[in-house]
Amino acid sequence: MFDRDVNFPRAVASYDTEGVDAAIDWCCERMEEGDRLTVWTSLKTNLQNCSVLEQLVARHSNVEHVTGRGGGSVRGNGPVLMAWPDMTDIGELVQYGGNRIRALCVITWNEDEIRPWVTAVRPAILGDDSAWEELTPALDPIVVEALKGLTLTVNHNNTISAGYEKDMVVSSLLALHDAGIPMDGEAMQGWALAHGWSGKNPERLAQYVENINAGKRPRCRRILRRDYIDDLRRRATDNA
């Protein structure tokens, strides 16, 4: 009941002339009457790194440049072209502008920074596709079922660092760990981003996993049923 709609089209483009041109064309093709194309960079000065994007913003009144630093968000409906984000940047963009995003295209700078997201989303590949010949290993189906359950029960407007949300997430992760089920924090972060988790919660999820895999046991109130893992196994088998 708390899942966030992220069913808009998504693409990833290589950072070269072919990829950037294709990214712009892909976004423009998905604009509707009255839309605004939002170009995102982490810092204002980052736009200077790509003359094509800089000219796109300067020459068109329906193209707006926003930055991740300083709280920039999507202010008008339409496609978003994110230049050189990491997974945390994508999560924050969706949190503050998800309802206005008609389509999302990401231009890469370090493919490994977003590989788990690409693996989970399977976006359209624009430009040079050689970087995506190898993706993140698939998550254990039992972990996927746990994430599906958390996606439906956690209020994604709240942080998972406190309260009920923390109890739900941490107790689930500890149960998976104690049952000997392997967890990959970055892959789970990518899955969460692909399925409506936003803000810093996907990153926090990965951090919890990293800590638990390292032997730490974050405090939480255990609120799971005794047959929680058995139920996940049944669901994983049913969905195989």
Side-chain angles (χ1 to χ4, degrees), residues 78-91:
V80 177
L81 180 55
M82 293 190 82
W84 322 298
D86 58 23
M87 288 198 292
T88 299
D89 295 326
I90 296 172

Side-chain angles (χ1 to χ4, degrees), residues 139 143 173-174 176-178 180-188 205-218:
L139 288 169
V143 172
L173 297 179
L174 287 172
L176 291 168
H177 175 267
D178 293 346
I181 298 167
M183 297 185 293
D184 182 320
E186 287 191 347
M188 293 168 70
L205 173 69
Q207 187 62 59
Y208 280 138
V209 173
E210 181 179 333
N211 290 342
I212 291 170
N213 284 341
K216 299 179 182 179
R217 297 188 71 85

Side-chain angles (χ1 to χ4, degrees), residues 197-209:
W197 295 45
S198 64
K200 292 188 178 297
N201 279 345
E203 181 183 18
R204 292 187 180 109
L205 173 69
Q207 187 62 59
Y208 280 138
V209 173

